[in-house]
Structures are given as C-alpha cells and as structure tokens.
Amino acid sequence: MFFVRTASERDLAKVSELLSETWHATYDALYGADKVSEITARWHSVPALKARLERKDSEFVVADDGKAFAGMGYAAMAKDRPKTAILHQLYV
C-alpha cells in the first residue's frame, strides 16, 4: 500500500531517478535519449528539486510504500493570483 506524504530532502535522489525514468520512457522516441538526459539533468536534478522543496508557498509530495516510490506531485501558489495554486508536476 502506498501513502502520500510531504517530501523531504532525503527523498530527492529517488524523485530525480523516478522523473528521469519517466521522461526517458515517454520522450526518448520523440526527442532522443541525449536530449531527454540533458532536460532531466537540468529540470530534475537534486538541486533543482531542492529549490522547489524549499519554496515557502508550495507543496511537494511523494507516494511511497517505505521501499519504493510510486509517484510525486508539486504545486505552488500563483504569484499573480493569491488564492490560486498551480499543479506543476504529477507523476504516478
């Protein structure tokens, strides 16, 4: 059984790996493996994920069973609309 919980810094390497695997499975045929690796290295690196995790007006969650991750999500408040949250990522 998987549980959704707030992500922590110790989760970021696994989240990065999950996003990389997902992006390669989805986009390699379209963009090529090298381009996908370049994108995931920039967007899904641990430092890039850490910046999202530390953002005050956001929520970063993971779904895990204590052994493996089954998904992640990231939402943040819109800067120009104070009562609007935008879902930026949802991977399951």
Side-chain angles (χ1 to χ4, degrees):
M1 176 178 289
F2 288 87
F3 296 92
V4 176
R5 62 174 174 78
T6 299
S8 70
E9 193 170 340
R10 70 178 179 272
D11 298 320
L12 297 181
K14 286 184 181 179
V15 171
S16 178
E17 184 180 321
L18 172 75
L19 292 172
S20 180
E21 288 176 17
T22 302
W23 268 68
H24 278 288
T26 305
Y27 295 112
D28 276 5
L30 206 72
Y31 298 117
D34 290 341
K35 183 66 174 176
V36 173
S37 291
E38 178 187 324
I39 291 168
T40 59
R42 190 173 55 240
W43 293 354
H44 305 138
S45 67
V46 171
L49 296 171
K50 185 177 179 188
R52 289 180 214 141
L53 180 70
E54 293 174 344
R55 188 170 162 184
K56 301 270 187 249
D57 58 350
S58 68
E59 183 63 30
F60 195 139
V61 296
V62 294
D64 79 274
D65 66 356
K67 296 177 186 170
F69 280 17
M72 62 79 64
Y74 174 73
M77 296 302 294
K79 293 183 185 210
D80 59 343
R81 291 172 279 164
K83 294 186 178 185
T84 303
I86 298 172
L87 181 62
H88 293 277
Q89 294 176 296
L90 181 62
Y91 292 84
V92 222

